[in-house]
Amino acid sequence: MIDFCTKCVTPNSRPRIVFNKDNICNACINNENKKTKIDWSIREKEFDKIIKKINDETKNDTYNCLVPWSGGKDSTFIALKLKYKFGLRPLLATFAPLIPNEIGTHNREIVLKHGFDGIYFRPNRKVARNLSKRFFFL
């Protein structure tokens, strides 16, 4: 029998899902904890202190953070926010996908035109394939 979370309808067939006695999944519980048990204003002040220290200690012509960057929406959002909201100078680092696609390549090119520098690491393809296969079957 498949059970579902009473809040979000996630089924118990999802990997690593756990339900409490009220049939609420661990993802919903974690999400609620983020809203109620974390003081985000304190976290933001702590982060601002870190950013200020980084900017004070680095010269304007150097990178002062590294962003693992796929060209997708999440890593691009982080890179843009660090640069434009927090004034950091990120270096974007991409580990080449085994099967590159046009959209990812296009997205990376567009972002680099916004004044970012990027490193595109292309490992030995045979080694990368073997590692990917090994990790897939773990």
Side-chain angles (χ1 to χ4, degrees), residues 10-11 21 47 54 76 95 98 107-108 118 135:
T10 298
K21 63 180 174 51
F47 188 68
I54 290 169
T76 298
F95 189 88
L98 282 177
N107 289 348
R108 283 189 294 275
F135 296 138

Side-chain angles (χ1 to χ4, degrees), residues 64-131:
N64 54 13
C65 65
L66 180 68
V67 176
W69 181 56
S70 67
K73 65 184 181 311
D74 295 330
S75 56
T76 298
F77 176 80
I78 290 167
L80 291 167
K81 194 159 196 166
L82 289 174
K83 180 174 180 154
Y84 293 117
K85 180 174 182 182
F86 297 106
L88 292 177
R89 294 173 305 283
L91 174 63
L92 309 181
T94 303
F95 189 88
L98 282 177
I99 305 170
N101 63 50
E102 287 181 37
I103 294 171
T105 302
H106 175 76
N107 289 348
R108 283 189 294 275
E109 289 302 316
I110 286 177
V111 172
L112 292 175
K113 289 178 183 176
H114 282 269
F116 288 93
D117 287 331
I119 295 174
Y120 191 83
F121 178 73
R122 245 185 120 212
N124 174 309
R125 303 318 277 173
K126 184 177 180 182
V127 172
R129 273 192 303 274
N130 287 337
L131 285 173

Side-chain angles (χ1 to χ4, degrees), residues 28-45:
C28 286
I29 293 167
N30 290 338
N31 187 46
E32 190 60 34
N33 286 342
K34 285 183 200 177
K35 292 178 185 177
T36 60
K37 296 188 178 183
I38 297 174
D39 187 334
W40 291 104
S41 62
I42 291 174
R43 291 274 181 107
E44 187 174 5
K45 288 175 187 169

Side-chain angles (χ1 to χ4, degrees), residues 45-55 88:
K45 288 175 187 169
E46 290 170 353
F47 188 68
D48 286 340
K49 278 188 203 175
I50 293 167
I51 297 298
K52 183 175 178 357
K53 182 178 179 189
I54 290 169
N55 280 326
L88 292 177

